[in-house]
Amino acid sequence: MSVELDLSRAPAVSAPLNLAGLSRAGLLQAMVNAGVEEKKARMRANQAWRWIYHYGVTDFGAMTDVAKEMRGQLASRYVLERPDIRDMQVSVDGTRKWLVGFGPGVEGESVFIPGVGKAGALCVSSQVGCTLNCTFCHTGTQKLVRNLTASEIVGQVMIARDALDEWPTSNEDRQLTNIVFMGMGEPLYNLDNVAEAIDTISDGEGISISRRRITVSTAGIAPKIPELGERTGAMLAISLHATRDDLRNELVPINKKYDLQQLFEAIRAYPDLSNAKRVTFEYVMLKGVNDTLAEARDLVRLLKGVPSKINLIPFNPWPGTQYECSDWDTIEAFAEVLNRAGYASPIRTPRGRDILAACGQLRSESVKQKASERLAARLAENASRE
Ligand code: SAH
């Protein structure tokens, strides 16, 4: 006889709420829930905000302008934690990759790439796994486990700040200056959480990374593209990879739903595009697939009238892929066509390939669990904590 688990009657096993990663509204609510008088709650939330996002504290005891009693009250209800770091690898080129645990069996990756952007860029994940199945992408071989929450996205940034020793936030000599949503997942399928995370990361009284230094990359979820700009003010990147619908249908299958015409209509509707705010077009160089000079010329034609930058990404191989990277001469000849059309330095140097941290190489072992399996894992984790 099999026994069915009745989840509705399962004991509550929720962990204490983590304040690190919350929005301003979330923090305010947490103060109210902790019994702070409504009149004072806003002030307390603002104080906590500074401690969490400007100073990066992980201990309520460090909040020296908050009354001792209040600190104790907060500590008894809440925690100030980062997501778990389950592994960290450093590439020969200085790129660092973290395997970040968001819960039992839920792991994603983030990558810090020095020397990219103004000083260095952190590539964050917005989902664990992905639904898109782009044929050349390693993450595409992993099914979607779940969307990350805004807190979990912000947590990735806080982990990098900890590792780089960049608290409190300073305006000088930062190593982490840019954020790219180019890790695992499709950010526009998780736009609410991505937008909330961007509000938190860009807040000038906290982590303070300007919206102009935050780039969101999408495989082309056309109806969400203008909304992304309106809600976040972030820079837009498009994973284009092909100039014709038939080939793009094969490489980036979401193209069957939103074809190139719909995609470009959506891109043209992105707010505030100008020479100072250009769209980045990513184009992976796949040997014998999309790398002819005729395609380079098609690319120039396709982008006409859209303020753009082009990023040619040499294909990064991963175990089991059927694709190869185009020859270097081919990439240079392709780039030369783009150069002559006015696109400066379009080749993206592969970074962190030795630790599978380069574009499209991210993948974790996490698989989606049934609700009953999730509950069992959480119970086991709680039991091991006790
Ligand atoms: N889902 C979003 C975010 C991922 S960004 C998007 O598709 O834009 C990761 C970038 O790396 C995308 O442009 C993706 O197409 C590209 N990429 C994926 N696999 C790659 C690989 N093996 N080599 C080089 N680039 C790859």
Side-chain angles (χ1 to χ4, degrees):
M1 191 185 85
S2 73
V3 181
E4 285 270 326
L5 240 152
D6 180 356
L7 290 172
S8 62
R9 296 166 65 191
V13 286
S14 59
L17 179 68
N18 180 16
L19 299 192
L22 290 190
S23 64
R24 281 188 181 269
L27 218 44
L28 182 59
Q29 190 59 49
M31 292 298 153
V32 172
N33 294 351
V36 181
E37 274 176 67
E38 213 146 311
K39 270 193 276 166
K40 287 204 171 151
R42 191 167 297 274
M43 180 191 66
R44 291 286 179 230
N46 286 344
Q47 284 174 320
W49 181 272
R50 285 289 283 180
W51 287 112
I52 297 170
Y53 296 117
H54 181 74
Y55 292 102
V57 303
T58 50
D59 177 2
F60 290 101
M63 301 185 168
T64 48
D65 61 355
V66 177
K68 223 173 178 179
E69 199 193 356
M70 183 72 226
R71 283 185 246 158
Q73 224 169 306
L74 291 175
S76 68
R77 294 181 76 111
Y78 302 129
V79 291
L80 283 175
E81 282 175 353
R82 312 294 186 239
D84 275 359
I85 299 174
R86 305 248 164 105
D87 194 18
M88 207 271 286
Q89 286 173 278
V90 184
S91 157
V92 290
D93 69 19
T95 299
R96 308 188 199 193
K97 179 170 86 166
W98 291 273
L99 178 66
V100 183
F102 300 104
V106 183
E107 294 174 339
E109 296 188 308
S110 355
V111 180
F112 176 69
I113 316 146
V116 165
K118 182 160 180 258
L122 182 73
C123 178
V124 295
S125 294
S126 55
Q127 299 181 314
V128 171
C130 193
T131 54
L132 291 175
N133 306 116
C134 300
T135 48
F136 54 88
C137 179
H138 200 196
T139 313
T141 65
Q142 180 184 8
K143 285 205 181 119
L144 179 71
V145 176
R146 67 165 169 84
N147 282 341
L148 292 178
T149 64
S151 282
E152 289 166 337
I153 296 169
V154 174
Q156 297 172 59
V157 179
M158 300 184 89
I159 283 176
R161 273 281 182 88
D162 290 346
L164 297 168
D165 202 8
E166 297 211 301
W167 304 108
T169 301
S170 125
N171 285 325
E172 284 158 35
D173 297 332
R174 286 196 205 173
Q175 299 174 74
L176 171 47
T177 51
N178 295 64
I179 304 285
V180 294
F181 282 80
M182 296 187 185
M184 294 160 68
E186 170 48 53
L188 298 199
Y189 280 152
N190 189 16
L191 185 50
D192 289 345
N193 287 317
V194 166
E196 187 182 314
I198 291 176
D199 286 345
T200 301
I201 297 164
S202 64
D203 191 293
E205 289 177 357
I207 294 173
S208 201
I209 294 177
S210 114
R211 293 171 189 274
R212 288 293 181 102
R213 295 224 168 93
I214 300 177
T215 302
V216 177
S217 179
T218 176
I221 317 304
K224 293 274 179 189
I225 288 175
E227 189 184 333
L228 169 73
E230 280 144 25
R231 290 177 67 180
T232 70
M235 306 296 283
L236 175 66
I238 300 285
S239 295
L240 190 63
H241 308 317
T243 54
R244 304 184 317 269
D245 279 316
D246 60 341
L247 181 58
R248 197 162 190 274
N249 284 346
E250 193 184 309
L251 300 177
V252 185
I254 194 68
N255 194 74
K256 291 184 220 158
K257 192 155 182 201
Y258 309 113
D259 65 12
L260 284 169
Q261 194 188 331
Q262 284 167 291
L263 178 60
F264 275 85
E265 269 169 32
I267 294 168
R268 285 174 208 275
Y270 200 75
D272 306 324
L273 289 185
S274 69
N275 273 344
K277 190 170 181 188
R278 299 182 203 208
V279 181
T280 300
F281 287 92
E282 298 159 284
Y283 194 96
V284 63
M285 296 300 294
L286 302 170
K287 187 177 198 163
V289 175
N290 64 354
D291 59 357
T292 64
L293 296 185
E295 281 160 309
R297 289 188 289 269
D298 285 346
L299 183 55
V300 172
R301 260 194 297 274
L302 196 58
L303 303 194
K304 210 162 172 226
V306 180
S308 351
K309 287 186 263 194
I310 301 174
N311 251 213
L312 298 180
I313 315 178
F315 171 67
N316 295 306
W318 39 269
T321 180
Q322 48 168 332
Y323 295 105
E324 285 174 74
C325 183
S326 307
D327 297 327
W328 199 251
D329 290 350
T330 309
I331 299 180
E332 285 196 327
F334 198 102
E336 183 51 31
V337 173
L338 307 177
N339 274 141
R340 268 189 266 120
Y343 296 96
S345 53
I347 306 175
R348 186 189 289 180
T349 320
R351 300 291 302 270
R353 267 184 178 177
D354 55 331
I355 55 166
L356 285 185
C359 300
Q361 292 185 311
L362 305 185
R363 188 183 195 283
S364 71
E365 296 305 319
S366 307
V367 287
K368 188 168 184 156
Q369 292 175 316
K370 291 193 201 122
S372 57
E373 290 167 340
R374 272 203 304 277
L375 176 69
R378 262 193 292 156
L379 288 169
E381 196 187 54
N382 275 22
S384 72
R385 267 204 218 127
E386 277 157 14

